[in-house]
Amino acid sequence: MLKGIKKIPLYMLAIILLVFTGVPFLIMVNTSFKGQLEFMTSPWSLPKTFSFDNYLLLFESDFFRYFLNSVIVTVISVVLVILLSAMASYPLAKMKFKLNKPLFILFLIGMMIPIHTTLIPIFRLTQQLGLYDSIWALIGPYVAFALPVSIIIYTQFLKELPKELEESAKMDGCGPFRLFWKILFPLLKPATATVAIYNFIHIWNEFIFALVLTNSPKNGTLPIGLREFYGEFSVNVPGIMAALSLASLPLLLVYLFAQERVVQGLSAGSVKG
Amino acid sequence: MERKLEENLISRKKETESSWISGTKKVKPKSKKTNNNFWVIFGFMAPALLIYGVFVIYSIVMTFYYSLFEWTGIDDNLIFAGIQNYITLIQDGVFWTSVKNNFLLVAASLITQLPLGLIMALLLFSPIKGMRFFRSIYFMPFLMSTVAIGILFVYIFDGNFGIVNQILGSIGLDSLQRSWLGNEVTAIWAVIATISWQFAPFYMILFRAAIVGIPEELYEAAEIDGANSRKKFFNITLPLLMPTIVTSSILSIIGSLKYFDLIYVMTGGGPNNATELMATYMYEQTFTNFNMGYGSSISFSMFIIAFMVIAVILIVDQRRKGVN
């Protein structure tokens, strides 16, 4: 009994924080099911009838073009990041050479610099390469800025793999590239999952490069699309809330099904900060 | 850039090789192996180095280069201006406002996000029921895109129907109702509150991971010695969390110095530059006013400021470790 009473402040604190973190989501989803008129008269009450009209409207808009762009950019970037960072991590973790440490530090620095410092030259470079205003322009910077964290995750993992693995493979006459892809890479699955989730979240939500490197609506990603909607239909609050809800859905679904991995993935990048 | 990196790698490698060979004579077969090794290392690292070299390293150098020119960015007409952009920058009141706001954001983030994250993480280890549920919800803000958060909170802070004003009205504080983002004094605080909402969950998971790593025996031993939970927190948990607190501080400071998305969406730096940050001011100068040279000088200053702040933290941290 005494123990139960002692816990009351804990529960109160837990619930206050629950309201703090959860209510904005409730407001967003709740509003998305309302009509515009209903929102005007009672903006924060529960909807009288749940209507999916706002979501249906999204199907008629450009929303899914943005959505598709985001999917394409994110998938290609994440795959490239996995391949490039896993490969680059192998010599850094397993081989001794003079430039090992300097190269690792070079990648580490990338985590600390403000990405905006690179914005203008990348904008210029994109124009010179003829990639300006296309979703392909985004992949280079996304991959480049994802490399540092991913390389740290992979090298940490690779260092823990036993040396005997490589040695026995080498004895069997296995070349370094086959050794890496056939033997080591499959063992890196947990690290790959972490890298994939971490970068999926960041790239899916990335805004400033998409803002600067694309221009026409048909080439924007979701964050750009959301802002366009907001600019165009700012009066139709329920419509915008529907767009916000739908845009947040993929990440929330991933989170729902792989909660531990997501949490682990997001904290992994900072282990060595 | 690619070629430069390659050449650099090759020439360095050659140096090491030749010195090696001249040192000892018997190493002929081994030097072949080193040579092989070089191509293996090169093969594995070249793609990553190429992308990283072009988009990160080359770009930082070029930012400095562009900052020495007067340039609209629309044409190729770059006029060399020396350090003129930096002289203008030092006298630019808006720039200093943005620096001030950036440091305000750093301070506010440190004193809100970290403690909030720590409290949430500690709660996750307290004996209350439904912890999984609490944890799931606590973490959700961090998954939402910053643009979506920005738009959502514009409506939450709205002067007419925003829920903040509704709540104030319902508890009789009508006098406090206002357009939070439209007011020069309150706008920055509304934005800071939103940023704390977004990032506190991130620090929660960092602290959670660190607390999991604290060996249970320490607490057991403390209990045998009769320590209460407050003593346990201050004598065991907090000291052992110190490395995580340092890491979190660095992340929070770096994050605050380069903040952009949320401000851009919520206020655009306004009203009247009240929420201007270095990054939003850089964006405005570069892509709205087409002063690319000037924008580059703001960019590069951001880089220098971030670099100095990080250096200071790392030095202080080394000192702290030395003392212990």
Side-chain angles (χ1 to χ4, degrees):
Chain A
M1 185 63 201
L2 193 71
K3 251 195 161 173
I5 291 173
K6 257 186 158 175
K7 277 188 208 161
I8 288 176
L10 276 183
Y11 274 106
M12 275 174 63
L13 188 61
I15 288 165
I16 290 171
L17 287 170
L18 192 71
V19 170
F20 173 71
T21 47
V23 160
F25 281 97
L26 274 184
I27 291 172
M28 175 176 83
V29 177
N30 184 37
T31 311
S32 75
F33 290 113
K34 284 183 180 178
Q36 226 172 311
L37 203 71
E38 196 188 345
F39 177 77
M40 291 296 182
T41 48
S42 56
W44 306 107
S45 64
L46 281 172
K48 285 189 200 85
T49 52
F50 279 87
S51 97
F52 284 87
D53 290 356
N54 295 315
Y55 290 93
L56 292 177
L57 267 176
L58 287 179
F59 279 92
E60 292 162 21
S61 70
D62 284 335
F63 185 84
F64 285 90
R65 180 189 279 279
Y66 294 118
F67 198 91
L68 190 69
N69 282 344
S70 268
V71 171
I72 295 171
V73 170
T74 310
V75 169
I76 294 178
S77 304
V78 169
V79 170
L80 280 175
V81 169
I82 289 172
L83 296 179
L84 296 190
S85 59
M87 277 170 68
S89 302
Y90 177 51
L92 289 175
K94 291 284 185 190
M95 294 179 193
K96 279 192 187 130
F97 56 101
K98 220 180 176 181
L99 282 175
N100 189 318
K101 199 96 204 252
L103 283 176
F104 189 71
I105 290 171
L106 190 72
F107 280 116
L108 261 186
I109 291 171
M111 282 182 70
M112 309 224 168
I113 56 152
I115 52 170
H116 310 97
T117 302
T118 63
L119 201 60
I120 295 167
I122 289 177
F123 169 72
R124 175 109 170 119
L125 194 69
T126 306
Q127 284 184 325
Q128 285 165 340
L129 292 172
L131 289 172
Y132 178 69
D133 196 19
S134 78
I135 56 172
W136 312 115
L138 301 175
I139 292 169
Y142 286 180
V143 172
F145 280 100
L147 283 174
V149 162
S150 312
I151 285 177
I152 289 168
I153 296 171
Y154 270 125
T155 44
Q156 273 175 350
F157 203 89
L158 271 162
K159 276 182 181 161
E160 282 163 21
L161 291 182
K163 250 198 155 146
E164 291 77 36
L165 268 173
E166 290 171 78
E167 278 162 7
S168 64
K170 269 182 200 158
M171 296 262 232
D172 294 342
C174 191
F177 291 94
R178 247 192 66 203
L179 172 112
F180 180 73
W181 291 116
K182 294 270 169 194
I183 296 170
L184 295 181
F185 190 68
L187 293 173
L188 292 176
K189 257 183 207 149
T192 303
T194 305
V195 168
I197 289 170
Y198 183 93
N199 291 310
F200 176 67
I201 292 170
H202 282 90
I203 294 173
W204 184 264
N205 290 335
E206 202 285 334
F207 179 62
I208 194 168
F209 277 116
L211 178 69
V212 167
L213 301 182
T214 66
N215 188 25
S216 45
K218 71 176 198 315
N219 293 321
T221 52
L222 256 185
I224 300 295
L226 291 179
R227 217 186 135 265
E228 292 281 321
F229 279 127
Y230 169 60
E232 246 174 276
F233 309 106
S234 61
V235 207
N236 182 2
V237 181
I240 289 169
M241 291 298 166
L244 296 184
S245 306
L246 209 56
S248 308
L249 197 63
L251 286 187
L252 291 178
L253 281 180
V254 171
Y255 177 57
L256 209 65
F257 288 112
Q259 210 182 95
E260 253 335 287
R261 270 245 173 279
V262 173
V263 168
Q264 201 193 337
L266 283 169
S267 45
S270 64
V271 176
K272 275 214 162 165
Chain B
M1 193 61 204
E2 166 195 22
R3 178 154 307 157
K4 259 186 209 155
L5 273 171
E6 276 175 33
E7 278 168 9
N8 197 359
L9 265 175
I10 293 169
S11 66
R12 291 258 186 132
K13 203 68 218 174
K14 272 187 183 151
E15 275 169 37
T16 60
E17 241 170 67
S18 55
S19 63
W20 218 49
I21 293 167
S22 62
T24 33
K25 280 250 160 99
K26 276 188 249 166
V27 287
K28 270 266 154 83
K30 267 206 166 177
S31 91
K32 203 179 163 195
K33 200 190 159 202
T34 329
N35 201 21
N36 273 341
N37 245 353
F38 166 72
W39 286 111
V40 171
I41 293 167
F42 181 79
F44 274 108
M45 296 201 67
L49 277 175
L50 170 67
I51 299 265
Y52 190 74
V54 169
F55 288 102
V56 181
I57 303 192
Y58 164 84
S59 294
I60 292 173
V61 175
M62 284 311 279
T63 294
F64 177 67
Y65 175 75
Y66 289 145
S67 76
L68 302 176
F69 290 86
E70 204 172 291
W71 178 37
T72 60
I74 303 164
D75 48 36
D76 286 338
N77 191 15
L78 283 84
I79 304 156
F80 186 74
I83 57 164
Q84 186 53 47
N85 282 327
Y86 292 95
I87 294 170
T88 316
L89 194 64
I90 286 172
Q91 294 160 343
D92 185 343
V94 180
F95 174 69
W96 289 112
T97 308
S98 74
V99 174
K100 197 193 80 202
N101 282 336
N102 258 125
F103 279 95
L104 182 67
L105 191 60
V106 167
S109 297
L110 283 176
I111 57 176
T112 58
Q113 293 167 15
L114 265 60
L116 212 55
L118 184 58
I119 291 170
M120 284 157 122
L122 289 169
L123 264 177
L124 296 183
F125 289 92
S126 67
I128 55 178
K129 278 180 189 154
M131 212 56 266
R132 262 189 83 85
F133 171 72
F134 282 108
R135 194 184 67 196
S136 306
I137 305 291
Y138 286 176
F139 187 62
M140 273 166 52
F142 190 64
L143 289 173
M144 218 174 148
S145 93
T146 308
V147 176
I149 291 173
I151 297 170
L152 177 60
F153 276 81
V154 165
Y155 292 114
I156 286 175
F157 286 117
D158 189 275
N160 299 317
F161 53 77
I163 196 158
V164 173
N165 279 350
Q166 301 256 329
I167 292 170
L168 287 174
S170 67
I171 54 172
L173 291 172
D174 303 58
S175 58
L176 288 178
Q177 288 179 338
R178 68 192 78 201
S179 167
W180 294 90
L181 293 168
N183 180 310
E184 273 182 47
V185 180
T186 57
I188 187 92
W189 297 106
V191 171
I192 285 171
T194 312
I195 296 173
S196 301
W197 182 81
Q198 181 184 16
F199 283 100
F202 176 62
Y203 298 103
M204 172 187 83
I205 58 163
L206 294 192
F207 285 126
R208 178 173 164 264
I211 294 172
V212 169
I214 299 176
E216 194 61 37
E217 296 88 54
L218 287 179
Y219 293 107
E220 282 161 13
E223 232 159 76
I224 291 167
D225 293 344
N228 58 17
S229 47
R230 225 185 78 190
K231 266 206 169 131
K232 277 192 269 180
F233 174 73
F234 282 104
N235 291 330
I236 302 174
T237 316
L238 205 58
L240 287 176
L241 284 181
M242 229 27 220
T244 314
I245 294 174
V246 173
T247 312
S248 305
S249 308
I250 294 177
L251 288 174
S252 173
I253 290 168
I254 298 169
S256 308
L257 284 176
K258 64 182 182 190
Y259 216 76
F260 175 81
D261 301 8
L262 200 84
I263 304 269
Y264 181 78
V265 173
M266 286 179 83
T267 65
N272 195 17
N273 302 114
T275 58
E276 201 76 76
L277 298 181
M278 288 187 282
T280 56
Y281 191 49
M282 181 272 290
Y283 180 85
E284 190 185 307
Q285 285 294 342
T286 309
F287 297 103
T288 312
N289 301 351
F290 296 107
N291 288 326
M292 262 200 206
Y294 193 51
S296 297
S297 68
I298 302 171
S299 258
F300 198 72
S301 306
M302 268 176 83
F303 173 69
I304 297 291
I305 290 172
F307 206 81
M308 288 193 309
V309 170
I310 293 162
V312 169
I313 305 169
L314 291 178
I315 291 167
V316 169
D317 187 41
Q318 284 300 323
R319 284 256 171 92
R320 187 185 61 84
K321 277 180 192 155
V323 168
N324 287 347

